[in-house]
């Protein structure tokens, strides 16, 4: 091949690449069977299963967040007899590792299976930061179980996050609960600490805004990295500002270091620490041991009295299926996310004469967004225009023992507020 | 002399000079600004110092393992961090066993001794195994194979620990005897930190005696100096290598025990981060150099705990502790710019030159 010929081939290749890039950016509706959809259509042949994926943290210190929600979802499928619009349901959970990178990896694996209709999760906000754009690029809407960062459903969110519909509270409300608690213990000077994760940073910011608006002062706003083990220098620094409460919505590993090391810093030894339901898990007791005793955290109030009789039945099924009581605080959200996904699929799925089913991807996302009066485990759920559908009553819990085998919502940790 | 330098200086020399001046200026500004706006009392500065010495002692013990193996084989054993992790788990399980047997509270010295022996045995065993599996088969080839195989072994060790002990972080049993606070020169320090620093110093003294005063220590130094000559002098090089791995492993095991006592939480993945820090400390002090590893460990620990308060605070950086690792590694780079062979220099450098 002469040099000129080689150049011509290269030029042709470059032009083809450019054209392909431009075309792929354009919106092209897809029509398959009786369904036309802007994003794409999934065809499920007669007798084939409907695939529902999940992207949840299933390993590492924070696995309770994801495993608990995943178990809730499995019970929802059981309640639906594992069938949907005439097809069996196949549930495909992937591990998101509670990190941006894990979310990306898990989402890529899910997105490679184009038969997946929708995805439950994520459990951690960071997983969505990495995974949501990949999933929505593949046209898979998400029913979020416990990722609570406000950015995920902000009105001005980027295109990549527009597949997200959230079946858990938004941290703007979670921060409100923490502010209420701070006021109830008459704290006016509060220090905050986050670990740089999307969840913790946004929650701390929301808390600071609301607490200042309520007349309080943030005396120190500190940050650590999730892998830090020696928190004593930063705690010493916080101690110099003499806070009356330390609000630290960080995850299991770092929280366990925090509770043990805070007691070794003389100026902070008697300051109460408030965490969140990110550490509402036996794994936290595994890591913190007796250091956990007295540690308080905000979380969803799963008091069976408040949740109604249906929650009691749910708990019985959970125990029967998995041989233990719930291991975290988001089983109800997992159930509701699965329920909403199934309801939305039923609403948009169209079956032709041959028994094949067609589901429009954008239609499914829109149907999820329009969820209204859904009778969930965590309450009656209606989505707002941004895709926030969570209804949660908040409470503050306190750990009474460091033995992981004693973990039971309502007993250890026990409810102390309101 | 200045004229001579000016005549010979290249662009790179000028760049390095500018970089050095910039570093000194930034650090100096931060330091002076911090002094002008004092935020911390003397007691708090003392606490920072104590934290730095404690974590520094642990870094130093890990760094010694890297540096000894490098000194003899000129190879970095990347599985060393995981040897440390196994030591921590061994210490954790032996203390739990002592607790069940009811001797942890009443007889802390015996429990500590049992835990020390067990973690030394386990870590030295894992280190010797690492040598046998990941190093010895590749000895004859002059390639990067041993380096890569230690990396692979590191993952094998991590994930076997995950399989055996679980993916969750594990609480390290607390020893009532080392809880509490002691008064020291008018300041109060957690007792556990005093114990850890003392134990680390004692370990390093013992190590120095082994290396400088025993036959096998002499053999180690001889092999480090010139392996071929040592072989000719009748030294069993294989035995020396196995001993070096075992000694480094034992130190890592003790570091695991001390780490558990201070931080009270261990996980299967902890060896990675601390291994990197330990390796950094070894490079900082001058890899291959035993006193260098000790110094490097303490320097890294002190910079991590004092740096944010001393430099960043004055520069008005918010949440300075999030940048702790950045400071530590920046310092590592800066030291290597000023002194490319580490604080105390590579011991092997003279032989190589």
């Amino acid at each position: 091949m002469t040099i000129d010929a080689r150049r011509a081939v290269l030029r042709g290749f470059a032009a083809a690449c450019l054209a392909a890039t431009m075309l792929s950016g354009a919106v092209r509706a897809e029509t398959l069977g009786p369904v036309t959809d802007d994003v794409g259509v999934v065809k499920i042949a007669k007798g084939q299963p409907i695939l529902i994926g999940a992207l949840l943290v299933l390993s590492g210190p924070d696995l309770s967040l994801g495993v608990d929600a995943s178990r809730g979802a499995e019970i929802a499928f059981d309640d639906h007899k594992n069938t949907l619009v005439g097809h069996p349901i196949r549930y495909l959970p992937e591990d998101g590792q509670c990190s941006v990178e894990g979310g990306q990896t898990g989402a890529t694996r899910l997105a490679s299976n184009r038969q997946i209709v929708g995805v439950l999760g994520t459990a951690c906000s960071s997983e969505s930061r990495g995974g949501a754009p990949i999933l929505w690029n593949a046209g898979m809407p998400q029913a979020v179980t416990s990722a609570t960062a406000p950015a995920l459903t902000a009105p001005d969110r980027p295109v990549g996050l527009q597949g997200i519909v959230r079946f858990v509270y938004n941290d703007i409300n979670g921060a409100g609960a923490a502010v209420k608690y701070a006021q109830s213990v008459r704290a006016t000077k509060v220090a905050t600490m986050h670990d740089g994760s999307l969840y913790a940073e946004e929650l701390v910011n929301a808390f600071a805004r609301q607490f200042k608006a309520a007349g309080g002062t943030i005396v120190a706003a500190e940050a650590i990295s999730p892998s830090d083990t020696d928190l004593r220098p930063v705690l010493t620094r916080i101690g110099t500002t003499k806070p009356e409460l330390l609000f630290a919505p960080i995850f299991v590993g770092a929280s366990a270091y925090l509770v043990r090391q805070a007691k070794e810093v003389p100026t902070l030894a008697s300051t109460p620490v408030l965490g969140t339901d990110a550490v509402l898990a036996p794994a936290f007791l595994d890591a913190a041991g007796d250091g956990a005793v007295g540690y308080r955290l905000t979380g969803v109030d799963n008091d069976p009295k408040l949740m109604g009789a249906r929650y009691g039945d749910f708990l019985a099924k959970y125990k029967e299926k998995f041989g233990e009581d719930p291991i975290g605080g988001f089983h109800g959200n997992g159930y509701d996310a699965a329920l909403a996904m199934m309801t939305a699929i039923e609403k948009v799925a169209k079956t032709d004469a041959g028994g094949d089913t067609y589901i429009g991807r954008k239609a499914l996302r829109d149907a999820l967004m329009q969820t209204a009066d859904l009778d969930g485990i965590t309450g009656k759920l209606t989505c707002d225009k941004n895709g926030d559908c969570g209804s949660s009553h908040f409470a503050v819990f306190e750990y009474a023992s460091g033995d992981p085998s004693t973990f039971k919502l309502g007993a250890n940790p026990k409810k102390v507020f309101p | 002399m200045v004229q001579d330098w000016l005549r010979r200086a290249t662009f790179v020399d000028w760049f390095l000079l500018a970089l050095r001046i910039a570093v000194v200026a930034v650090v100096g500004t931060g330091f002076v600004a911090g002094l002008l706006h004092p935020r911390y009392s003397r007691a708090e500065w003392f606490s920072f110092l104590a934290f730095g010495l404690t974590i520094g002692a642990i870094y130093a013990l890990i760094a010694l393992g890297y540096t000894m193996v490098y000194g003899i084989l000129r190879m970095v054993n990347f599985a060393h961090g995981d040897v440390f992790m196994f030591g921590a788990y061994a210490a954790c399980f032996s203390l739990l066993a002592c607790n069940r047997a009811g001797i942890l509270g009443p007889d802390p010295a015996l429990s500590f001794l049992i835990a020390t022996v067990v973690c030394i045995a386990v870590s030295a065993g894992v280190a010797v195994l690492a040598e046998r599996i990941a190093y010895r088969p590749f000895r004859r080839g002059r390639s990067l194979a041993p380096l890569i195989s230690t990396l692979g072994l590191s993952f094998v060790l991590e994930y076997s620990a995950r399989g055996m002990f679980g993916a969750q972080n594990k609480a390290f049993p607390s020893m009532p005897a080392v809880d509490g606070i002691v008064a020291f020169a008018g300041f109060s320090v957690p007792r556990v930190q005093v114990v850890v620093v003392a134990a680390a110093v004692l370990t390093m003294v013992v190590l120095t005696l082994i290396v400088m005063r025993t036959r096998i220590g002499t053999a180690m130094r001889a092999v480090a100096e010139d392996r071929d000559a040592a072989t000719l002098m009748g030294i069993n090089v294989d035995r020396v290598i196995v001993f070096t791995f075992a000694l480094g492993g034992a130190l890592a095991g003790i570091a695991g025990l001390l780490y558990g006592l201070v931080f009270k939480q261990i996980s299967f993945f902890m060896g990675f981060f601390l291994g990197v820090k330990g390796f950094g400390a070894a490079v900082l002090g001058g890899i291959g150099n035993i006193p260098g590893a000790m110094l490097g460990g303490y320097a890294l620990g002190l910079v991590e705990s004092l740096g944010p308060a001393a430099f960043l605070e004055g520069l008005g950086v918010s949440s300075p502790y999030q940048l702790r690792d950045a400071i530590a590694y920046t310092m590592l780079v800066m030291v290597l710019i000023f002194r490319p062979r580490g604080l105390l220099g590579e011991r092997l450098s003279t032989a190589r030159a």
Side-chain angles (χ1 to χ4, degrees):
Chain A
M1 201 187 274
T2 64
I3 289 178
D4 277 351
R6 210 177 290 167
R7 269 195 200 141
V9 170
L10 277 177
R11 219 174 284 153
F13 181 67
C17 286
L18 191 68
T21 317
M22 286 166 74
L23 275 178
S24 67
V27 177
R28 250 184 331 161
E30 185 183 13
T31 304
L32 217 56
V35 178
T36 302
D37 192 278
D38 284 347
V39 177
V41 181
V42 187
K43 176 187 170 185
I44 300 138
K46 189 179 178 189
Q48 292 300 309
I50 285 192
L51 307 190
I52 297 179
L55 182 58
L56 300 160
V57 49
L58 302 174
S59 71
D62 298 304
L63 63 82
S64 298
L65 290 174
V67 172
D68 200 42
S70 187
R71 288 175 171 184
E74 286 186 47
I75 294 174
F77 296 138
D78 286 352
D79 283 357
H80 224 261
K81 307 213 166 26
N82 281 305
T83 51
L84 196 60
V85 289
H87 297 267
I89 296 173
R90 191 190 289 162
Y91 175 55
L92 301 168
E94 279 288 345
D95 187 3
Q97 298 174 357
C98 207
S99 67
V100 178
E101 299 79 12
Q104 272 172 344
T105 314
T108 308
R109 287 163 68 143
L110 288 170
S112 67
N113 186 345
R114 309 297 290 188
Q115 280 303 105
I116 292 178
V117 181
V119 173
L120 308 181
T122 61
C124 297
S125 302
S126 298
E127 292 170 336
S128 271
R129 180 183 257 180
I134 298 171
L135 291 175
W136 188 229
N137 192 36
M140 297 172 188
Q142 277 174 266
V144 163
T145 59
S146 66
T148 51
L152 298 180
T153 54
D156 57 347
R157 59 183 150 163
V159 180
L161 298 183
Q162 285 175 3
I164 291 178
V165 185
R166 171 150 56 194
F167 292 89
V168 65
Y169 61 88
N170 183 319
D171 271 335
I172 294 174
N173 306 329
V179 169
K180 258 190 215 146
Y181 172 74
Q183 288 171 330
S184 80
V185 295
R186 296 180 200 292
T188 53
K189 294 195 298 177
V190 175
T192 61
M193 185 160 94
H194 68 78
D195 62 0
S197 65
L198 180 62
Y199 162 75
E201 191 167 355
E202 288 208 348
L203 179 51
V204 157
N205 290 342
F207 175 86
R209 261 197 314 277
Q210 296 181 23
F211 190 61
K212 279 189 226 160
T217 318
I218 302 293
V219 289
E222 287 296 333
I224 56 166
S225 65
S227 61
D228 268 358
T229 55
D230 194 358
L231 306 182
R232 293 164 307 178
V234 69
L235 292 173
T236 303
R237 184 183 148 87
I238 291 175
T240 60
T241 61
K242 303 196 173 46
E244 292 153 4
L245 178 73
L246 169 58
F247 180 55
I250 49 180
F251 289 92
V252 166
S255 295
Y257 285 119
L258 171 67
V259 294
R260 291 191 144 185
Q261 294 175 12
K263 289 172 187 154
E264 290 176 14
V265 174
T267 47
L268 215 55
S270 56
T271 308
V273 183
L274 181 68
T276 61
D277 41 16
V279 292
L280 191 62
F284 174 64
L285 299 180
D286 253 333
D290 288 337
V293 177
Y295 184 58
R296 293 190 168 189
L297 56 131
T298 61
V300 175
D301 193 350
N302 280 331
D303 186 347
K305 275 183 249 128
L306 212 67
M307 309 276 281
R310 195 145 159 248
Y311 185 62
D313 290 349
F314 172 85
L315 286 183
K317 282 179 202 162
Y318 191 109
K319 186 143 192 184
E320 191 193 320
K321 191 169 166 80
F322 302 108
E324 57 184 339
D325 285 320
I327 56 165
F330 293 105
H331 40 274
N333 304 87
Y335 184 98
D336 289 352
L339 184 63
M341 184 63 82
M342 290 190 289
T343 312
I345 291 174
E346 279 172 341
K347 211 189 286 177
V348 300
K350 291 202 169 68
T351 307
D352 64 10
D356 297 344
T357 300
Y358 301 86
I359 298 169
R361 292 189 182 278
K362 182 164 185 295
L364 177 61
R365 196 279 309 261
D366 293 345
L368 263 181
M369 280 274 195
Q370 283 153 17
T371 300
D373 288 331
L374 181 76
D375 202 8
I377 291 278
T378 58
K380 263 232 184 309
L381 305 177
T382 300
C383 297
D384 69 6
K385 64 180 191 310
N386 298 322
D388 265 322
C389 324
S391 125
S392 295
H393 315 277
F394 286 94
V396 172
F397 299 89
E398 181 181 310
Y399 279 111
S401 156
D403 178 1
S405 65
T406 63
F407 182 89
K408 188 169 167 43
L409 282 179
N412 182 37
K414 64 174 190 291
K415 189 168 125 182
V416 292
F417 175 81
Chain B
M1 194 178 143
V2 175
Q3 274 175 351
D4 195 36
W5 189 86
L6 283 173
R7 193 165 47 80
R8 283 191 302 162
T10 61
F11 169 72
V12 176
D13 293 325
W14 282 107
F15 176 74
L16 282 181
L17 183 70
L19 193 65
R20 289 169 190 183
I21 292 172
V23 171
V24 172
V26 169
V27 170
T29 317
F31 191 64
V32 172
L35 284 183
L36 292 179
H37 301 281
R39 175 185 179 133
Y40 303 103
S41 64
R42 275 173 55 209
E44 277 143 4
W45 280 112
F46 186 80
S47 297
F48 287 144
L49 191 72
F51 300 149
L53 287 177
T54 317
I55 188 76
I58 291 166
Y59 291 158
L61 287 176
I62 300 174
L64 283 166
Y66 280 106
T67 223
M68 285 194 299
V69 168
Y70 185 88
I72 289 194
L73 300 173
R74 295 191 197 164
M75 177 202 87
V76 181
N77 173 17
F78 279 112
H80 191 63
D82 301 297
V83 172
F84 157 78
M85 177 266 294
F86 267 90
Y89 271 103
C92 177
F93 286 117
S94 47
L95 285 181
L96 283 175
C98 289
N99 194 19
R100 272 197 299 277
I103 52 172
L104 185 65
D107 201 345
L110 180 65
S111 313
F112 191 81
L113 188 70
I114 292 175
T116 312
V117 171
V118 172
C119 70
I120 287 180
V122 168
S123 285
V126 174
V128 169
L129 207 67
E131 192 267 345
R132 192 54 62 92
I133 295 172
Y135 175 69
R136 190 169 294 190
F138 306 104
R139 251 188 78 177
R140 303 287 166 212
R142 295 228 170 239
S143 70
L144 287 176
L147 191 81
I148 304 300
S149 77
T150 58
L151 262 179
L153 184 72
S154 151
F155 284 109
V156 171
L157 289 176
E158 267 166 30
Y159 287 90
S160 352
R162 185 194 149 139
M164 286 190 285
F165 314 129
Q168 308 196 333
N169 292 19
K170 192 166 175 55
F172 201 85
S174 34
M175 288 180 79
V178 297
D179 284 345
I181 282 180
V182 287
F184 179 82
F187 299 107
S188 60
V189 196
R191 185 175 294 157
V192 63
Q193 294 182 10
V194 179
V195 171
V196 165
V197 171
V201 169
L202 186 69
T203 310
M204 290 180 212
V205 169
V206 171
L207 174 77
T208 311
L209 289 178
I210 290 177
V211 174
M212 303 309 287
R213 295 286 162 85
T214 61
R215 267 182 89 82
I216 187 89
T218 315
M220 272 173 71
R221 285 184 287 138
V223 174
E225 203 71 34
D226 189 330
R227 197 198 300 180
D228 295 336
T231 316
L232 291 175
M233 298 309 288
I235 291 173
N236 184 342
V237 174
D238 278 346
R239 237 184 76 208
V240 170
I241 291 174
V242 170
F243 180 77
T244 310
F245 269 88
L247 193 59
L251 294 176
I254 295 174
L257 166 67
L258 299 182
Y259 177 90
L261 284 179
V262 178
F263 296 110
K264 301 188 175 71
Q265 187 187 165
I266 56 177
S267 78
F268 76 96
F269 208 56
M270 66 194 254
F272 176 76
F273 294 108
L274 280 139
V276 170
K277 289 274 173 68
F279 180 58
V283 173
L284 184 62
I287 192 152
N289 186 325
I290 288 177
M294 298 179 191
L295 183 68
Y298 282 113
L300 196 62
L302 285 173
V303 166
E304 272 188 9
S305 83
L306 289 168
F311 312 131
L312 292 186
E313 194 95 48
L315 293 174
V317 176
S318 60
S319 324
Y321 277 94
Q322 208 180 17
L323 298 174
R324 186 162 57 168
D325 284 355
I327 289 202
Y329 290 116
T330 310
M331 183 202 63
L332 183 64
V333 172
M334 290 309 156
V335 166
L336 294 181
I337 287 176
F338 283 95
R339 290 185 65 85
R341 286 182 176 151
L343 290 173
L344 298 189
E346 286 179 43
R347 191 120 168 267
L348 296 164
S349 54
T350 47
R352 237 193 266 143

